[in-house]
Amino acid sequence: MDRRGRSLQTAEETSLSLRVPGGVSTIVVERGALASAGARLAREWPGERRVFVVADERVSELHGAAFDGALRAAGLEPCRKAVPAGEGSKSLTVAAELYDWLAGQRAERGEPVLAFGGGVVGDLAGFVAATYLRGVPLAQAPTTLLAMVDSSVGGKTGINLPAGKNLVGAFYQPGLVLVDPGLLHTLPEGGLRSGWADVIKYGLLERSVPGLAGAELLPLLEGEGRALRALQEPLCSRVVRRCIAIKRAVVEQDERETGLRRILNLGHTVGHALEATAGYGRYTHGEAVALGLRAAARLAARRGPSDISLQGRIDALLDDFGLPARIEGCAVDDLLRRIGSDKKVRQGRVHWVLPEAPGQVGIYDDVPGDEVRAVLEELGAA
Ligand code: GLY
């Protein structure tokens, strides 16, 4: 039970709510959830007819017509806009195109924007919803594993600048998140593989969340990797729900990342630096996070909070899910420079989230630069 007396054993729970000062999100995790999207949107925002759906081109082509149909069946009028797939769409240019589109449609303050796609679309459309008319309602319908377990929940929105990832953004809670794990079957192999990195991240930190009962994720990932990669049900939905339950518990205790929420950056310090150094798109987000998890495991083993056996366990899990083991095409000096300019640096000190024990992490701001260099070189940075 959490502090509000609600069960956090959510393996079978299909709908949960996340409550923070910034708002309340209803999160539905259910195979087929998108078929009922119209009714759920109408219930969440009664009296509104139009829904401004932002999708990436691939999602729009694959699922757009069916999704429009689901909205129309509930008497809603979908207005859909496709943006190019890929990190390049998280830009001021594409955000401006969306503002122009909304203005051209005379979108009103009560009418929801719905992000239909992966993390890029969720962050981009979320940021546009947070800022257009000083904020219009937001719904998220994630279609990738990463977006389902992480980016669609918790209210982070943003776009990239040439100087770095997510440098412009807002905390803005979606009123509704519709997670349909059935969509995972339509993902290309590489996209799915990438998403497991963030699932593994949750397995490595779930015991660090105060008030969260159980520690089931890491053993499940280690024991049921093959079934999970085959998206066997009900296992797959159970894992998605567990990740969301962990994220909800973290965000409810620290919406604006002043403390506990920083643990969700496990693997992201090196991960973001890799994405920016190699060029957005060279590594998927998940591949970069996987390498970041390997780096964190090595730093922890070198300096003490954990040991070589945990590093081996983390490597084995990442290997099992087909995630990369070597940094390629990145100079160590470039990576170190990016790490030093990460937006999470405080007073010049990098806050490293490091694994301390299975399922448990800690935050350290005293990791020597030469240790970081050695670990990056060990992983292949030139
Ligand atoms: N993706 C990390 C967070 O939402 O805080």
Side-chain angles (χ1 to χ4, degrees):
M1 298 291 229
D2 72 1
R3 286 172 297 139
R4 295 168 184 81
R6 293 175 314 189
S7 168
L8 287 166
Q9 297 287 12
T10 56
E12 311 309 330
E13 203 178 341
T14 56
S15 175
L16 57 157
S17 49
L18 180 157
R19 292 172 192 280
V20 287
V24 179
S25 288
T26 299
I27 305 164
V28 179
V29 188
E30 197 173 24
R31 276 177 74 92
L34 289 194
S36 62
R40 292 186 189 277
L41 284 156
R43 204 175 312 140
E44 187 68 31
W45 292 290
E48 303 300 339
R49 281 198 67 235
R50 291 191 302 176
V51 180
F52 293 95
V53 178
V54 180
D56 78 35
E57 281 164 352
R58 183 181 167 277
V59 168
S60 197
E61 203 169 297
L62 260 182
H63 305 296
F67 192 58
D68 285 355
L71 299 192
R72 287 204 181 94
L76 299 176
E77 187 187 322
C79 307
R80 180 153 43 94
K81 172 92 172 158
V83 298
E87 192 75 23
S89 281
K90 272 179 66 172
S91 67
L92 281 168
T93 311
V94 179
E97 285 169 17
L98 293 178
Y99 293 136
D100 287 343
W101 170 62
L102 291 171
Q105 302 277 331
R106 299 188 184 282
E108 295 178 4
R109 220 180 217 159
E111 294 177 313
V113 165
L114 184 144
F116 189 26
V120 166
V121 161
D123 285 6
L124 168 73
F127 178 66
V128 166
T131 46
Y132 186 70
L133 300 180
R134 298 198 180 93
V136 296
L138 171 64
Q140 295 271 3
T143 58
T144 65
L145 183 54
L146 161 72
M148 289 181 192
V149 299
D150 193 61
S151 58
S152 66
V153 173
K156 278 192 181 175
T157 72
I159 54 177
N160 302 328
L161 295 182
K165 203 171 150 74
N166 299 327
L167 286 186
V168 176
F171 288 97
Y172 194 68
Q173 297 298 336
L176 186 62
V177 184
L178 294 171
V179 180
D180 183 347
L183 292 183
L184 295 175
H185 291 273
T186 68
L187 280 181
E189 165 63 21
L192 189 57
R193 189 172 54 241
S194 172
W196 291 115
D198 268 273
V199 176
I200 291 169
K201 174 189 87 172
Y202 281 108
L204 295 176
L205 60 75
E206 70 181 330
R207 295 164 68 101
S208 298
V209 184
L212 182 67
E216 65 189 70
L217 192 51
L218 189 56
L220 261 182
L221 293 171
E222 290 181 323
E224 304 285 351
R226 184 190 293 261
L228 279 168
R229 287 192 304 280
L231 300 176
Q232 276 181 21
E233 290 291 0
L235 186 63
C236 181
S237 291
R238 178 177 168 195
V239 162
V240 170
R241 285 192 194 107
R242 179 66 184 171
C243 292
I244 292 174
I246 297 169
K247 178 141 194 190
R248 171 182 68 168
V250 171
V251 172
E252 285 195 333
Q253 294 176 58
D254 179 21
E255 181 187 14
R256 298 185 70 99
E257 201 174 309
T258 54
L260 180 68
R261 189 166 179 168
R262 290 184 298 172
I263 66 173
L264 300 184
N265 293 319
L266 174 62
H268 285 63
T269 306
V270 166
H272 281 169
L274 270 170
E275 284 182 276
T277 305
Y280 297 118
R282 162 71 178 77
Y283 284 110
T284 64
H285 178 72
E287 288 169 343
V289 168
L291 288 161
L293 293 175
R294 292 185 196 268
R298 279 162 178 72
L299 283 173
R302 275 173 178 264
R303 65 183 310 279
S306 68
D307 59 25
I308 197 81
S309 67
L310 183 57
Q311 178 190 316
R313 216 168 140 180
I314 293 171
D315 278 345
L317 190 52
L318 293 164
D319 291 346
D320 196 32
F321 280 85
L323 288 157
R326 299 286 297 167
I327 295 174
E328 277 162 19
C330 287
V332 73
D333 287 328
D334 292 341
L335 286 171
L336 289 170
R337 217 175 359 262
R338 288 285 183 179
I339 289 168
S341 64
D342 191 275
K343 66 183 180 309
K344 277 136 198 148
V345 171
R346 300 267 191 284
Q347 289 157 352
R349 297 178 91 90
V350 180
H351 287 76
W352 289 93
V353 187
L354 301 182
E356 293 180 329
Q360 192 180 312
V361 295
I363 298 178
Y364 297 82
D365 69 358
D366 57 353
V367 178
D370 54 353
E371 294 276 347
V372 180
R373 176 181 289 277
V375 158
L376 294 173
E377 285 173 353
E378 184 187 329
L379 285 169

